[in-house]
Amino acid sequence: FMYRIRCSFLFLIGFIFTVNAQDKKLSLEEIWDGSFSQERLESLQPMANGTEYAVQNYNRTTRDVSVDVYSYKTGKKTKTLISAKEIPGLNYFQTYEFSEDQQKALLSTELEQIYRRSSKGVFYVYDIVKKQLQQVNDKAIQEPDFSPDATKVAYAYENNLYVKNLINNQVIQVTQDGKKNKIINGLSDWVYEEEFSVVQAYQWNADGTKIAFLRFDETQVPVFSMDMYGTYPNQLYPTQDVFKYPKAGEKNAKVSLHVYDLEKQSLTQVNLQKKYEYIPVITWTQDANLLSVQAMNRHQNKLDFILVDTKKNTTETILSETDKAYVDLNDQLNFLADNSFIWASERDGWNHLYHYNIKGKLLKQITTGNWEVTDYYGYNTNNKTIYYQSTENGSINRGVYAIKINGKNKRALAAKAGTNYADFSADYTYYINSFSNAETLWQYKLYKTKTLEEVRVIEDNAAMQEKIAAYNFSPKEFSTITINGNDLNMWMIKPKDFDASKKYPLLMYQYSGPGSQSVSNTSSNSNDYWYQYLADKGYIIVCVDGRGTGQKGADFKKVTQLELGKYEVEDQIAVAKKLGEQPYIDKNRIG
């Protein structure tokens, strides 16, 4: 009898301990103070030798920022390329960018955000071989970029474009007319940055003899003013920022295309033969004299792909994309060695890859199916294989795949349910698979591309995974809900002590911007921990991607054209009504 009491007592103690261990309470401070930050591979770059990769590291003990090189095969660090502590005159740097030959690096300091994607800072060129540091400019500049042979750096400063010769330190001012709220050279205006994700509006050609750039004339664009609040007590009063901001129907900046010839030191405006409202993308081909241009009308329902022969000063439209709604910008353009190119298009209703020759003749539609290509990783000339990311493993997931350029022999490299990315070695022998899903924090594993053999785990965030397990968070349940004739992706988080016989208040979250995705099978962010906090307080949280969001085809995404805010709102209202019919949801407490 005493043995049974002792066992029962020990069982009770064990049960209480287990419940407490799994029921650690989440605080509001933890959600946003970095308590759940995950380890990442920062600024990973494959080395040209194909056997190593570089990563930016920060040593908290020595407070040193470095760029370290690791072996794909062994995982061991082989060398340190850059160490801020070992470079006289440089205490730290925030980002690095290799030159094409990886013998030099651009290092940024004092970075200051401007808009969503743009910034300015003080930049240095570090010669990795000679171990010499060279300041590009002592003032804050924008978008510095090496020439292909790394003997020069182009950059923008106060709306003008400059080129610095790194050998003799001579600086050429390419443009003279740049002025705030009037003329911008080599950088984008607000519209291009926000809507086309373009900041650097200039490009070096293949041999570094020419620079093509866009010029924005904002003179006629209406202005917008905004009060900028500083930090107390340094700034007691706000300052006013006035900038050019075209609202719907107002005048956009007038954009023009120009080419600067460094050998002749001559500046030429390119005549595209037609008037275009937007020139969102300029890309040099493998031919140093041949520039490609993507130009659009204001409604963005027609895109012309134009080749400019900068030697003969001629233009030719080799390809056009039209759409009854709008043409999404092609940011997956890639010119191959023979100057044929990979092109992305939604012409069959889904975003897929196409192969064209330089004359604009379609050679092959490479990918096809009721799913979207979401990223293009590159082309291996040795085995004629394209590598890409897509939603073939489900619209809330991302997988990595390989396919021959003729559209045959497709195989999955990383298609586990969740979100997969890939960073390939320079020769495509290896790839690092970044993976997470709603239950799994980010994991970084190295694989052999040919055999898919796992070489090793680089980082799996095991310590953080164990820490999170102690909170016993409620699972994020994925499903679909049929609304207005569409099966919409949905996730739901319920209180951990959920009882279907009770009624719970419901919080619905959604963004719904065109092509966006809020319901995705990926690792938790701060919002997710906030939802867990609410679930612990007795709320059900739901997210539903309605019409207008992405990854479910062009028609689903573009239905909101000219009626932004109609279908998105209708779907959320219908979701709220339908969920309100569930016996466990209080229809009078839906937010």
Side-chain angles (χ1 to χ4, degrees):
F1 175 73
M2 289 300 295
Y3 172 77
R4 287 200 300 273
I5 291 176
R6 188 180 296 112
C7 285
S8 299
F9 178 73
L10 291 173
F11 173 79
L12 180 61
I13 293 296
F15 175 76
I16 292 172
F17 177 80
T18 302
V19 170
N20 286 341
Q22 293 180 338
D23 257 348
K24 187 175 180 181
K25 290 296 181 181
L26 179 66
S27 71
L28 285 172
E29 288 75 17
E30 286 177 296
I31 297 174
W32 289 287
D33 70 2
S35 294
F36 300 110
S37 296
Q38 301 179 44
E39 295 295 329
R40 305 279 182 139
L41 295 184
E42 295 292 340
S43 304
L44 188 148
Q45 296 284 338
M47 300 304 291
N49 57 26
T51 62
E52 296 173 315
Y53 62 92
V55 176
Q56 182 171 324
N57 289 321
Y58 176 68
N59 188 315
R60 288 180 173 83
T61 304
T62 63
R63 295 182 175 275
D64 184 27
V65 184
S66 61
V67 176
D68 301 313
V69 177
Y70 297 82
S71 165
Y72 279 112
K73 190 173 183 179
T74 66
K76 294 180 180 179
K77 188 169 88 170
T78 58
K79 55 182 169 286
T80 294
L81 283 182
I82 306 168
S83 170
K85 290 288 185 182
E86 296 178 3
I87 303 175
L90 186 74
N91 295 321
Y92 79 106
F93 61 90
Q94 290 161 274
T95 62
Y96 78 97
E97 181 185 337
F98 284 135
S99 59
E100 199 170 294
D101 61 6
Q102 297 184 339
Q103 302 296 299
K104 296 176 183 176
L106 269 167
L107 308 178
S108 69
T109 66
E110 302 178 41
L111 285 179
E112 178 186 340
Q113 202 72 22
I114 301 174
Y115 297 127
R116 185 193 295 210
R117 298 175 178 88
S118 57
S119 63
K120 59 182 178 180
V122 177
F123 286 82
Y124 296 83
V125 171
Y126 181 64
D127 191 312
I128 297 169
V129 178
K130 297 178 181 178
K131 299 189 182 302
Q132 294 177 348
L133 188 69
Q134 188 175 5
Q135 193 173 37
V136 179
N137 193 302
D138 59 359
K139 297 180 174 64
I141 62 174
Q142 290 182 256
E143 302 300 314
D145 194 18
F146 280 115
S147 62
D149 63 1
T151 61
K152 303 175 186 69
V153 170
Y155 61 91
Y157 173 65
E158 293 189 342
N159 289 14
N160 279 313
L161 191 61
Y162 295 79
V163 176
K164 179 169 185 172
N165 188 312
L166 297 175
I167 299 172
N168 59 21
N169 280 321
Q170 180 185 355
V171 176
I172 298 173
Q173 185 171 342
V174 176
T175 64
Q176 309 288 333
D177 58 350
K179 189 175 182 181
K180 184 179 179 181
N181 289 335
K182 290 188 181 296
I183 304 295
I184 309 172
N185 293 292
L187 296 172
S188 68
D189 69 347
W190 187 93
V191 173
Y192 277 55
E193 176 174 345
E194 180 64 22
E195 303 301 340
F196 295 134
S197 303
V198 174
V199 177
Q200 181 178 321
Y202 74 88
Q203 292 285 324
W204 287 97
N205 71 343
D207 63 6
T209 58
K210 295 177 181 179
I211 295 177
F213 68 94
L214 299 179
R215 176 183 183 271
F216 294 85
D217 183 346
E218 296 186 300
T219 307
Q220 300 300 315
V221 178
V223 297
F224 191 92
S225 68
M226 184 181 295
D227 282 346
M228 308 297 288
Y229 290 86
T231 305
Y232 178 85
N234 300 321
Q235 187 177 334
L236 291 175
Y237 296 92
T239 57
Q240 188 182 52
D241 188 19
V242 178
F243 56 99
K244 296 288 186 166
Y245 178 83
K247 293 190 176 184
E250 295 293 337
K251 289 183 178 179
N252 278 316
K254 295 179 181 178
V255 61
S256 54
L257 175 63
H258 304 258
V259 174
Y260 181 73
D261 189 313
L262 277 80
E263 293 179 343
K264 298 178 182 178
Q265 294 192 9
S266 62
L267 191 58
T268 306
Q269 181 174 341
V270 176
N271 183 1
L272 293 176
Q273 308 302 326
K274 288 171 61 177
K275 187 177 183 297
Y276 292 99
E277 189 80 15
Y278 303 110
I279 309 175
V281 181
I282 54 174
T283 310
W284 286 96
T285 71
Q286 300 293 348
D287 182 337
N289 292 311
L290 200 59
L291 174 69
S292 76
V293 180
Q294 295 181 47
M296 307 177 80
N297 60 347
R298 177 139 189 174
H299 283 287
Q300 298 177 43
N301 56 9
K302 184 177 181 181
L303 181 149
D304 284 342
F305 187 56
I306 306 161
L307 292 182
V308 179
D309 189 321
T310 59
K311 190 174 183 179
K312 298 177 182 178
N313 199 24
T314 59
T315 62
E316 180 185 8
T317 300
I318 63 167
L319 178 62
S320 292
E321 291 275 352
T322 58
D323 194 285
K324 59 185 178 182
Y326 56 88
V327 178
D328 247 339
L329 194 61
N330 184 351
D331 58 358
Q332 293 160 348
L333 173 66
N334 179 227
F335 286 94
L336 308 183
D338 62 355
N339 237 9
S340 64
F341 58 92
I342 305 300
W343 180 264
S345 172
E346 294 179 311
R347 69 185 57 170
D348 71 353
W350 302 83
N351 191 55
H352 283 296
L353 299 177
Y354 297 76
H355 185 204
Y356 284 87
N357 70 13
I358 195 61
K359 299 296 184 182
K361 178 184 177 183
L362 177 62
L363 301 176
K364 184 68 180 179
Q365 180 174 347
I366 304 168
T367 61
T368 183
N370 292 344
W371 43 267
E372 306 262 74
V373 172
T374 48
D375 204 356
Y376 167 80
Y377 290 122
Y379 175 62
N380 186 347
T381 56
N382 294 328
N383 58 14
K384 297 182 179 179
T385 299
I386 296 281
Y387 300 94
Y388 66 96
Q389 182 200 55
S390 76
T391 61
E392 289 173 67
N393 56 343
S395 58
I396 66 170
N397 301 312
R398 299 287 187 278
V400 178
Y401 300 84
I403 191 171
K404 296 291 184 183
I405 199 167
N406 62 7
K408 297 179 179 179
N409 301 336
K410 180 171 65 177
R411 63 189 186 115
L413 303 185
K416 183 179 178 181
T419 302
N420 294 272
Y421 295 95
D423 287 281
F424 289 88
S425 62
D427 60 2
Y428 296 97
T429 299
Y430 299 96
Y431 67 94
I432 294 173
N433 174 215
S434 307
F435 169 79
S436 79
N437 60 27
E439 295 83 35
T440 309
L441 300 183
W442 283 105
Q443 298 178 346
Y444 302 90
K445 297 180 179 180
L446 178 68
Y447 291 87
K448 290 183 178 179
T449 308
K450 187 175 182 179
T451 63
L452 304 188
E453 174 191 345
E454 181 182 317
V455 180
R456 72 177 181 285
V457 177
I458 299 174
E459 174 61 62
D460 60 6
N461 280 292
M464 183 59 67
Q465 193 84 52
E466 185 177 348
K467 174 182 176 178
I468 288 174
Y471 291 83
N472 190 28
F473 288 139
S474 300
K476 182 182 281 188
E477 302 172 4
F478 291 97
S479 62
T480 59
I481 182 170
T482 303
I483 298 293
N484 294 323
N486 293 281
D487 291 332
L488 306 182
N489 292 331
M490 177 174 80
W491 59 249
M492 178 182 287
I493 298 173
K494 300 172 183 172
K496 64 184 69 173
D497 58 354
F498 175 76
D499 183 345
S501 66
K502 296 181 179 179
K503 284 191 179 293
Y504 296 88
L506 172 69
L507 173 70
M508 293 171 57
Y509 166 79
Q510 180 52 212
Y511 171 63
S512 285
S516 66
Q517 186 174 43
S518 299
V519 183
S520 62
N521 191 6
T522 191
S523 180
S524 298
N525 57 33
S526 295
N527 272 5
D528 289 307
Y529 294 117
W530 163 240
Y531 302 144
Q532 292 292 342
Y533 182 88
L534 292 178
D536 200 41
K537 301 294 183 185
Y539 291 83
I540 290 176
I541 304 91
V542 157
C543 182
V544 177
D545 277 343
R547 285 172 290 179
T549 58
Q551 316 313 327
K552 301 197 77 171
D555 290 343
F556 185 86
K557 175 179 66 177
K558 296 177 181 179
V559 69
T560 61
Q561 171 74 352
L562 300 182
E563 295 191 276
L564 201 64
K566 170 180 166 60
Y567 298 108
E568 307 97 302
V569 175
E570 288 178 359
D571 283 353
Q572 296 304 311
I573 292 171
V575 168
K577 288 180 177 179
K578 189 164 187 174
L579 291 177
E581 296 171 357
Q582 299 299 315
Y584 54 84
I585 289 177
D586 185 347
K587 67 179 181 180
N588 296 313
R589 296 186 66 197
I590 299 176

